[in-house]
Each structure stands twice: as C-alpha cells, then as structure tokens.
C-alpha cells in the first residue's frame, strides 16, 4: 500500500461505528479490529519504504508488530500509572489476585515496565502493565519509560492516594492528550472515613472533570492497613493481634471488566491505528528527508557540470543551449528520485516553463549571462579567465533554481498547486541566498579552470 494513503485509511477504520440495533457491538468491534490489523500488515510489508528508513525506525516497526499480535490475540492493555508510593504495583497485584509485581517500602521499586494477565479475566484478554513512578528522584529515564508505556496502552489507570498534586494533574493532562481513556483510582481509601471519602471523591471528580468521566473516578484499597483485633477464648482470655483486611478493588475490577467487554477491541484497534498513524507520518518525513538529501547532491553535481561547461565553451549561445540540455537531464533524474518519472520531452517542457518564469523574474541576470557569452566569442576565448567564472557561476545559480523549482513541482505530485508556476518559482528565488551561491560557484569553477589550464 502507498505510504501516503495509509494514515487516511487508518483514520477511516477507527472512526466510531454508528449504532446498529441489529448488529452486536462485539461483531462491529471485531470487524474494525480486523480491518486495522490488515492496515498494520500493509504498513509492515510496504515495499516502498526504503531499507535505511526501516532500519532507522526499527523500534517503531517492532512496536507495530507487537500491536498486531495483541490485536490478533484480542488483548486489552491497561497501564497502571501514577506517583511514587501511591500503590500502583500493590493495586495491580490486588486486581490480579497474586504477587505479579514487586512491592517495596522504598521509593522507586518499579524500575521497568512489567505486565501480567488479569487472572479473573484471562478469557477477556486484559493485560496489566505496571509502570515506574512519575516523580522518582533522579528517575527521568524511568519517567520517560512510564509515558512510553502509557502511550502504547489502550487504557490508563491513574493511581493517587489523596488530592492531586500539581505534578499529578499535569501528568494526567499529558496522558489525556495521548487520547487514551483514563480511570482515576483513589488508592488507600481505607484511611478515610465514609463521609470524608465521599467528599474527596467528589472533589477529585470536579478537578478532573474535563479529563476523566465521573463514573471512572473510583476508590480502592490495595493494601488496607492492619486492624487491631481482640480474640476472646473459651476461658475469657483476650488475645490482641493485628489482622490485614482483604484488598478492596471490586469496583475497579468490575469497571475494567465492563470496559473490556463492551469497548476492549475497539480501544485496542483505535490505539493501534493512532500509533500506526504517527509512525506513518515519521516514515513519510524520513523518506522526504532522504529524497531531499539525494536530490541536493544531484543538483550540486549538475551545477558543477553546467558551470564548468558554460565557462569552457567559447562559442556564443552554444554554451547556453548545452546548459539547457544538462538542466533537462537533471530534471529527469530528480523525477526518478521522487518516484514520478518524466520522459526527456516532459522534462524539457518543465525546464522551459521554469526558465520562462525565471526570465520574467530575473531578466537582468540572464542579460548579463548573454553578454558574457558574446564577450567570450569576440575575444576568441582569451578572456575566458575574466568572464568564465562569472558566467559559469550564473549557470550554476540557474541550475539551483531550476532544480529546486522542479523539486517543488514533483513534491506536489507533478503540480504547481493552486498558486501556479509563477508564484512557486518566485518563492524558490526568494528562499535562496543568491550571493552565497554565486560565491561558492565562482570558487569551485575557478578551481576547476585553473587545474585544467595547469
């Protein structure tokens, strides 16, 4: 599939499906996931992507492969995100029902992302991803990792243990900008009385009203504080000990399962589509950059060839005709670089159009070139060293303009755009530093002329 059209297709594939009372939501989601998976395969198999670009973006392509495998397995990836010591790992373990993630008393226990299937929901394919804390001291690398994981997750559970700090609210806004659905889990809820907890939840819902749906702000207690228990035996003897209550994550677990059942495949497909869209943009930018670099080298090669040819040809006007032939050959090569090959005749017509616009814009410069050409003929070539460098430099400069204008035409898909050739060529002329180009050209041409005379 052509790389330029992939993102448009993906955007259409993940567009929300209209409600259809006769079609099950799961069937619609499966259909959308299948189509997104097909588009991901097309991106991975696109033969138009240069090997160098594919190598440079190898990690991103590997991530697309991982997303494709996830879609095919029907998994929904959930990132557990938040501040250090808010209880992210403990909350993940409580949801799983076993110790899948390490939990410690020191800040920064989680130093890399880990994931495990939710035991109770294996058949629904829920996968929890534990992430490092966002505010760990000297933990910039781990914070970047946390954002990376959250970006590729289908849904984010943001864990706090009280009112949100400015840093937490900023992080929540950043996550919301990645277009991931967000749940806010108030962990350590056992520390609050019933009325205090209700007030805090209401306050949190107000603070995140534009980021998280009210129903998705939930209380949890992953590791409730131990309670003092007094047991009395048959003889009336009292024994005091500490007992750890069971985790209270039922509301959060039920919400996650409900999302997975009704929206899981759709969220996974949307996430994969969004990521593939960003990768497509990156690939397109890299290809454009590579093409421009190759085109720049090609134009310089023809500039040198044309500048020297014009400088050395002692026959009036004939040097200008030879220069036009070089320009046409250059445009043919440029068209191949940009994947829009032109015939020699088409190239000649394009050069004629560009030259006509340049002549209208820069008649004085071309007049100087004609005078220099005539001067060479009258002096039987004796004044070549005086005039050749200047004339060759003008030929060099003209080739730069023609090459860049042809590039503009090819990048536009063999089109000058709405403004037309006149405006496009004028923009190219305005964008280039003529004096610096002429200085460089004169220096290079004189160097070649002196080496040939020597």
């Amino acid at each position: 599939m052509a790389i330029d059209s992939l993102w448009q297709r993906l955007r259409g594939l993940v567009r929300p499906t209209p409600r259809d009372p006769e079609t099950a939501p799961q069937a619609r989601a499966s259909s959308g996931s299948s189509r997104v998976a097909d588009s991901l395969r097309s991106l991975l198999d696109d033969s138009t992507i240069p090997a160098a670009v594919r190598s440079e973006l190898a990690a991103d392509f590997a991530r697309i492969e991982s997303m494709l495998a996830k879609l095919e397995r029907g998994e929904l990836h959930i990132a557990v995100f938040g501040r250090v010591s808010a209880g992210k790992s403990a909350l993940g373990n409580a949801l799983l029902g076993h110790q899948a993630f390490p939990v410690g008393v020191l800040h920064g226990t989680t130093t890399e992302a880990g994931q495990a299937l939710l035991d109770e929901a294996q058949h629904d394919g829920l996968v929890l991803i534990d992430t490092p804390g966002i505010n760990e001291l000297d933990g910039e690398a781990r914070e970047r990792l946390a954002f990376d994981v959250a970006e590729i997750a289908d849904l984010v559970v943001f864990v706090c243990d009280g009112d949100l700090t400015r840093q937490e609210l900023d992080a929540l806004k950043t996550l919301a900008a990645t277009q991931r659905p967000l749940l806010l889990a108030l962990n350590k809820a056992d520390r609050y009385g019933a009325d205090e907890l209700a007030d805090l939840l209401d306050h949190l819902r107000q603070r995140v009203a534009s980021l998280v749906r009210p129903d998705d702000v939930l209380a949890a207690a992953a590791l409730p504080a131990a309670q003092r228990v007094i047991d009395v035996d048959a003889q009336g003897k009292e024994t005091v000990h500490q007992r750890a209550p069971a985790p209270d994550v039922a509301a959060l677990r039920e919400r996650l399962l409900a999302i997975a059942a009704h929206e899981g495949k759709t969220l996974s497909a949307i996430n994969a589509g969004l990521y593939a869209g960003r990768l497509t943009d990156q690939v397109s930018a890299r290809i454009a950059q590579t093409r421009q670099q190759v085109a720049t080298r090609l134009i310089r090669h023809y500039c040198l060839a044309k500048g020297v040819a014009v400088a050395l040809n002692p026959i009036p006007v004939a040097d200008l005709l030879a220069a036009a032939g070089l320009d046409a050959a250059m445009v043919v090569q440029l068209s191949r670089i940009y994947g829009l090959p032109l015939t020699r005749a088409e190239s000649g017509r394009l050069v004629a159009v560009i030259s006509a616009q340049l002549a209208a814009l820069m008649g004085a410069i071309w007049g100087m070139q004609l005078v220099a050409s005539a001067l060479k003929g009258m002096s039987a070539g004796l004044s070549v060293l005086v005039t050749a460098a200047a004339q060759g430099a003008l030929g060099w400069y003209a080739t730069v303009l023609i090459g860049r204008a042809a590039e503009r035409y090819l990048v536009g898909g063999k089109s000058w755009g709405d403004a037309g050739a006149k405006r496009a060529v004028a923009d190219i002329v305005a964008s280039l530093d003529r004096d610096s180009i002429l200085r460089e050209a004169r220096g290079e041409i004189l160097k070649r002329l002196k080496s040939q005379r020597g």
Side-chain angles (χ1 to χ4, degrees), residues 64-399:
I64 289 292
E65 290 179 352
S66 175
M67 287 183 163
L68 178 58
K70 181 185 74 172
L71 272 177
E72 292 172 341
R73 292 192 300 267
E75 293 177 353
L76 177 69
H77 285 212
I78 303 167
V80 185
F81 200 93
R83 180 174 50 80
V84 164
S85 297
K88 304 180 313 300
S89 299
L91 187 63
N93 290 337
L95 288 167
L96 291 165
H98 65 89
Q99 295 294 308
F101 306 118
V103 178
V105 296
L106 297 178
H107 283 187
T109 297
T110 303
T111 57
E112 59 183 25
Q115 63 182 38
L117 285 173
L118 258 175
D119 284 351
E120 185 175 323
Q122 281 193 22
H123 62 284
D124 289 323
L126 267 67
V127 176
L128 287 185
I129 303 173
D130 189 24
T131 66
I134 62 173
N135 65 330
E136 184 180 357
L137 184 64
D138 297 327
E140 291 184 5
R142 284 187 276 268
E143 184 170 339
R144 285 195 301 271
L145 174 62
F147 276 93
D148 286 343
V149 172
E151 185 180 23
I152 64 168
D154 305 311
L155 182 148
V156 176
V157 175
F158 194 100
V159 183
C160 64
D161 59 3
D163 193 8
L164 295 174
T165 65
R166 170 51 58 184
Q167 186 181 43
E168 287 175 313
L169 189 58
D170 288 344
L172 201 59
K173 290 177 180 177
T174 300
L175 290 169
T178 68
Q179 304 179 59
R180 298 296 170 279
L182 297 171
L183 274 69
L184 180 61
L186 173 61
N187 194 24
K188 305 180 183 179
D190 57 298
R191 299 189 305 186
Y192 304 97
D195 293 340
E196 187 181 11
L197 178 60
D199 290 342
L200 179 55
L201 287 172
D202 286 342
H203 175 71
L204 288 173
R205 290 182 179 115
Q206 292 174 16
R207 292 199 69 189
V208 302
S210 62
L211 308 173
V212 184
R213 292 179 297 188
D215 290 345
D216 289 335
V217 178
L218 303 162
L223 286 175
Q227 297 177 350
R228 184 170 179 270
V229 178
I230 300 175
D231 290 332
V232 181
D233 62 17
Q235 287 73 39
K237 183 179 179 181
E238 296 182 351
T239 303
V240 180
H241 59 89
Q242 301 289 318
R243 178 181 300 168
D248 181 8
V249 294
L252 179 59
R253 180 189 286 114
E254 289 173 7
R255 182 67 185 127
L256 291 175
L257 292 176
I259 291 173
H262 294 93
E263 306 173 54
K265 290 183 178 179
T266 299
L267 291 177
S268 185
I270 288 175
N271 180 32
L274 290 171
Y275 189 85
R278 287 192 296 276
L279 178 58
T280 299
D281 291 341
Q282 286 181 290
V283 169
S284 297
R286 295 294 196 283
I287 291 174
Q289 184 181 42
T290 300
R291 283 173 170 168
Q292 188 175 46
Q293 291 170 349
V294 174
T296 297
R297 290 195 295 269
L298 177 74
I299 292 172
R300 180 179 174 79
H301 169 78
Y302 274 92
C303 285
L304 183 58
K306 180 177 176 180
V308 173
V310 168
L312 288 176
N313 195 329
I315 303 174
V317 184
D319 51 358
L320 303 182
L321 296 176
L326 284 172
D327 288 336
M330 174 186 68
V331 171
V332 168
Q333 296 298 319
L334 284 173
S335 71
R336 293 172 181 168
I337 290 172
Y338 284 95
L340 296 169
L342 298 171
T343 65
R344 188 60 181 262
E346 290 173 325
S347 173
R349 288 193 293 271
L350 179 58
V351 170
V353 169
I354 297 171
S355 297
Q357 298 301 325
L358 288 174
L361 286 167
M362 308 175 68
I365 290 179
W366 307 142
M368 289 172 56
Q369 187 172 12
L370 287 170
V371 169
S373 179
L375 179 60
K376 283 199 306 183
M378 289 187 296
S379 62
L382 295 178
S383 62
V384 165
L385 286 178
V386 177
T387 62
Q391 185 179 354
L394 287 170
W396 178 308
Y397 178 55
T399 295

